[in-house]
Amino acid sequence: MNRGTRAGSVVALTIALAAAWTTAMAQTPEQDRQREYWRQQEQQREEQQRRAQEEMQRQQRATEDARKRQQQLDDETTKNIEDHSKRRAQAAPAAQNSTDMRAERPKLLALPPLPAERNVLLGSWRLEGSSQQSDAQQSRIAELAITGRGSLKPGDLKAFMSSLESGQMLCDVSFGRGITFTPTTYSSGGAAGLAEGPIAYRSRNKKVIVAIPGDSRANPMPFTIAGPNRIVWADTCALVRVGTPAANASTNAPSSARTTAASPSASPAVRAMPQVAAVAPAPPQSTLARPSPEVCRNTLLDKLGVVGTNQVRAMSDARFKEAAIEGKEPNTGNLRIDLRGSACDDPRIKATLYDFDANEMLVSITYVWERPPGPAPAPIFSERVTQLSRFHSLPPPQSPGRLQADTTLGRLILQDMPERNLLLEAYKAKK
């Protein structure tokens, strides 16, 4: 190859190398950016994994610490229960007292029955000084003491020990949910469960009445009469009558002004809220003796969402002659109390239904009216619309036989039901 050819080849190679170098230099910054991006992504993944592991370890430590604290609390509670049981076993023999009372049963039953007009026990009672919050706490504590199931919350330990030392535990076990006496039956609820059935009453003196359950295995219950609205069981547990100022001090009992507002006897001229069961012109006459005006005014219509089962039961004892029927509200399973036979109401009302929420607070009252056969709207529907319009601003019925409106008493629903020959007048608590 001559010199000219070699020189040309060298020049061509040099040019090619220069072009390749230029191309490589042009690609390097973009590749560097990509490499940096993926490096940062990898660092982020590693950081996330590290944080997740640290959080998991923190939760495991917190769970283990909580378990240890609860175990320590349970161990301490168990020891306190055992220590207290030993002290009680060395003290007065309560079991012997219980046996002695059962031994007195035949002698007590041989006494003359106590007339209902002299029986101060008749009515509903609850533990003195209890409230919804303390009732829930004491019920939880008593259930643990009896069944051994569950565990105390840290704030319960002091109350638990105080309850043991004071004897309050026994009261909560027996009467934590109250007790109700009728002339022939009783119902008592506590952490130990529900006790109910036939009962007899005897008294050797005016200060003590003994309630004797029909079940011979049950212990007779001696109550000292401390007053018309206060009784003491076995010198241990004080109870107050449900519905009295002492019993309702923590539940904001209605003032006389608010109670009067719901009275059926209040004059429409002063714009009082109506008793929805107000007697229509020329209704059928009731054969029952009419209770006092104070009793008839106590409908609880202005207490929706405020009062609970105890207040409703106390009202029913005074206002209704027939025994309450307690069951479950359809579709919810919540408590429903079916009351019948009040001389305060229009005789066409066949039942008054009191429905409660899951917390046993009153949320609705329904009056079940009897209607004559025929298509909707029945004359009684128009009658009720006219009557209620005197006290509430009501819209026209949304359809024949149905009216719904928000009132000062709650949501009103008036529903004609010709297929069942009924008219439903319901009041529901405002949400």
Side-chain angles (χ1 to χ4, degrees), residues 334-393:
N334 295 333
L335 175 65
R336 163 174 285 179
I337 297 180
D338 182 340
L339 297 173
R340 307 183 183 197
S342 174
C344 295
D345 297 338
D346 189 311
R348 292 173 294 177
I349 293 179
K350 297 306 176 185
T352 307
L353 310 178
Y354 290 80
D355 291 328
F356 302 82
D357 61 14
N359 297 318
E360 296 195 347
M361 295 298 292
L362 179 64
V363 293
S364 73
I365 300 175
T366 302
Y367 294 89
V368 182
W369 294 77
E370 183 179 35
R371 75 185 291 281
I380 191 174
F381 177 84
S382 302
E383 174 190 321
R384 293 307 299 153
V385 172
T386 301
Q387 178 73 11
L388 295 173
S389 296
R390 299 170 59 190
F391 307 97
H392 307 291
S393 298

Side-chain angles (χ1 to χ4, degrees), residues 52-68:
Q53 291 175 351
E54 290 179 350
E55 177 63 21
M56 182 180 298
Q57 292 172 356
R58 186 192 67 79
Q59 292 180 358
Q60 290 175 346
R61 288 194 300 270
T63 301
E64 182 63 20
D65 291 343
R67 187 193 65 78
K68 291 180 179 179

Side-chain angles (χ1 to χ4, degrees), residues 46-340:
E46 292 175 353
E47 180 66 16
Q48 291 174 352
Q49 292 176 354
R50 183 184 65 79
R51 291 180 179 179
Q53 291 175 351
E54 290 179 350
E55 177 63 21
M56 182 180 298
Q57 292 172 356
R58 186 192 67 79
Q59 292 180 358
Q60 290 175 346
R61 288 194 300 270
T63 301
E64 182 63 20
D65 291 343
R67 187 193 65 78
K68 291 180 179 179
R69 287 195 299 270
Q70 186 62 58
Q71 185 62 47
Q72 291 173 353
L73 181 61
D74 292 345
D75 292 343
E76 183 180 356
T77 300
T78 302
K79 184 178 183 301
N80 288 331
I81 294 175
E82 292 174 351
D83 292 344
H84 181 76
S85 298
K86 291 177 182 179
R87 291 196 298 270
R88 290 294 295 269
Q90 297 169 358
Q96 182 63 40
N97 292 339
S98 174
T99 302
D100 290 344
M101 282 302 301
R102 285 194 290 270
E104 289 289 312
R105 181 187 182 89
K107 298 178 182 178
L108 290 168
L109 289 175
L111 296 173
L114 182 67
E117 58 270 18
R118 289 171 44 203
N119 192 349
V120 181
L121 295 185
L122 298 183
S124 296
W125 306 81
R126 70 181 179 89
L127 289 175
E128 187 175 52
S130 63
S131 64
Q132 287 185 353
Q133 181 177 2
S134 65
D135 285 348
Q137 183 186 48
Q138 293 294 347
S139 178
R140 184 171 63 251
I141 292 173
E143 182 177 1
L144 173 63
I146 293 173
T147 66
R149 295 193 298 267
S151 59
L152 290 175
K153 298 180 180 179
D156 291 340
L157 184 56
K158 183 178 179 180
F160 179 79
M161 294 308 301
S162 175
S163 180
L164 283 174
E165 297 296 337
S166 66
Q168 183 65 27
M169 177 70 69
L170 179 61
C171 302
D172 295 319
V173 168
S174 302
F175 306 113
R177 298 178 186 174
I179 186 168
T180 298
F181 293 106
T182 75
T184 58
T185 64
Y186 84 106
S187 175
S188 175
L194 179 66
E196 59 184 353
I199 200 159
Y201 304 94
R202 299 292 188 271
S203 178
R204 290 193 176 108
N205 58 66
K206 295 181 180 180
K207 293 185 177 181
V208 178
I209 296 177
V210 182
I212 310 171
D215 186 350
S216 61
R217 296 169 298 177
N219 200 35
M221 297 178 285
F223 290 92
T224 300
I225 308 304
N229 298 314
R230 188 175 187 269
I231 56 177
V232 181
W233 171 73
D235 297 326
T236 304
C237 307
L239 299 98
V240 291
R241 190 182 299 276
V242 174
T244 62
N248 285 342
S250 62
T251 57
N252 296 325
S255 66
S256 58
R258 292 187 66 182
T259 305
T260 303
S263 168
S265 59
S267 170
V270 296
R271 301 301 296 168
M273 290 187 293
Q275 155 65 19
V276 296
V279 176
Q285 295 299 313
S286 172
T287 59
L288 298 175
R290 183 176 178 84
S292 67
E294 291 76 15
V295 170
C296 287
R297 282 195 290 266
N298 189 24
T299 64
L300 300 181
L301 276 171
D302 59 339
K303 294 299 180 184
L304 291 172
V306 177
V307 300
T309 55
N310 284 345
Q311 290 86 347
V312 172
R313 290 182 179 123
M315 176 275 300
S316 69
D317 289 341
R319 202 171 188 275
F320 291 83
K321 297 298 182 182
E322 297 183 18
I325 303 172
E326 298 195 9
K328 299 295 184 181
E329 180 187 1
N331 302 324
T332 69
N334 295 333
L335 175 65
R336 163 174 285 179
I337 297 180
D338 182 340
L339 297 173
R340 307 183 183 197

Side-chain angles (χ1 to χ4, degrees), residues 363 406 410-411 428-431:
V363 293
D406 290 328
R411 173 160 292 183
K428 300 182 181 294
K430 298 178 181 178
K431 296 183 179 180

